[in-house]
Amino acid sequence: GTGDHDTILAAIAQADPDILVLPESWSSFRLAVSLLDTLAASYPHRTYCPVASGCSVTILSRLPLDNIRTLDPGMAWPPAVVANVTLAGQPVTIFGVHLVFPLARKAQVKSIDILSAALAEVDGPTVMAGDFNAAPWSHAMRDFSRAAGFRPPPGYRPTWPSGLGYAGLPIDHVIARDTVAVTDIGVLNVDGSDHRPILATVTLETD
């Protein structure tokens, strides 16, 4: 969710991540441009889906990004931006996602089907992060994760609505498969945002 400019920057500075996935970064165009400008030096590598499409996902990285693409489901809500990073000499595919809310059931199923098809063409370690608009126990999330080979993270943290704190729902996730795993996960607080950001530690298995 969107939030106050200064508190977003403070949260990023405190967490100090190597890669940022911002699912609703373009909900406020002015805020997005301001954040991207401010973070340019720390996160020089970036990609985001076309703003005109209605998509709002951005990936910012300290590491170079390549093979950048957007998944287009043929409707005004592309579910993901995708890029590769290299960790310990291995390519890792990063999906930044923002899935349709479950009340639009047919649209959510379609976006999940497109993600599944894209994942079927990806070999090797994969990390998917963002706003899934689905709790881990939902049929959509459970069936998708199992079919795509994602391992459950070490626990789930309530992220929405942020005002409910630990009484909220865990609908934002970081999941991984193959030789990469989520080994630690927590949440941050950002004033003005309806979501609590996730901070995840991702570990790549090496020989």
Side-chain angles (χ1 to χ4, degrees):
T2 58
D4 175 76
H5 178 276
D6 291 339
T7 56
I8 291 173
L9 291 176
I12 292 172
Q14 179 182 5
D16 196 31
D18 292 316
I19 298 173
L20 282 162
V21 175
L22 306 173
E24 294 184 9
S25 52
W26 292 94
S27 297
S28 167
F29 185 83
R30 181 176 296 179
L31 176 61
V33 171
S34 177
L35 284 173
L36 292 180
D37 285 347
T38 304
L39 293 169
S42 299
Y43 297 93
H45 309 285
R46 60 191 57 191
T47 182
Y48 45 84
C49 45
V51 178
S53 69
C55 179
S56 60
V57 183
T58 298
I59 298 176
L60 302 179
S61 177
R62 288 179 173 147
L63 308 170
L65 300 174
D66 58 28
N67 195 19
I68 295 168
R69 61 264 195 209
T70 299
L71 302 185
D72 184 358
M75 57 186 177
W77 197 336
V81 287
V82 190
N84 287 7
V85 298
T86 300
L87 300 176
Q90 295 188 51
V92 177
T93 303
I94 308 293
F95 281 75
V97 305
H98 187 191
L99 297 185
V100 181
F101 49 89
L103 292 179
R105 176 65 178 165
K106 289 184 179 180
Q108 187 186 59
V109 169
K110 183 176 182 179
S111 61
I112 289 175
D113 287 345
I114 293 210
L115 277 180
S116 299
L119 284 163
E121 299 179 0
V122 173
D123 294 322
T126 307
V127 177
M128 185 172 288
D131 179 359
F132 288 75
N133 268 311
W137 55 79
S138 68
H139 287 295
M141 189 69 191
R142 188 177 61 221
D143 294 347
F144 166 73
S145 297
R146 184 184 299 121
F150 284 106
R151 295 187 296 273
Y156 295 95
R157 304 293 184 266
T159 60
W160 178 88
S162 59
L164 291 182
Y166 284 98
L169 290 172
I171 64 171
D172 303 273
H173 309 291
V174 180
I175 52 180
R177 69 178 188 179
D178 200 83
T179 57
V180 68
V182 179
T183 55
D184 189 49
I185 198 160
V187 292
L188 307 172
N189 292 305
V190 174
D191 292 341
S193 174
D194 59 337
H195 289 250
R196 303 169 76 200
I198 287 179
L199 176 62
T201 300
V202 176
T203 303
L204 183 67
E205 299 173 6
T206 57
D207 295 333

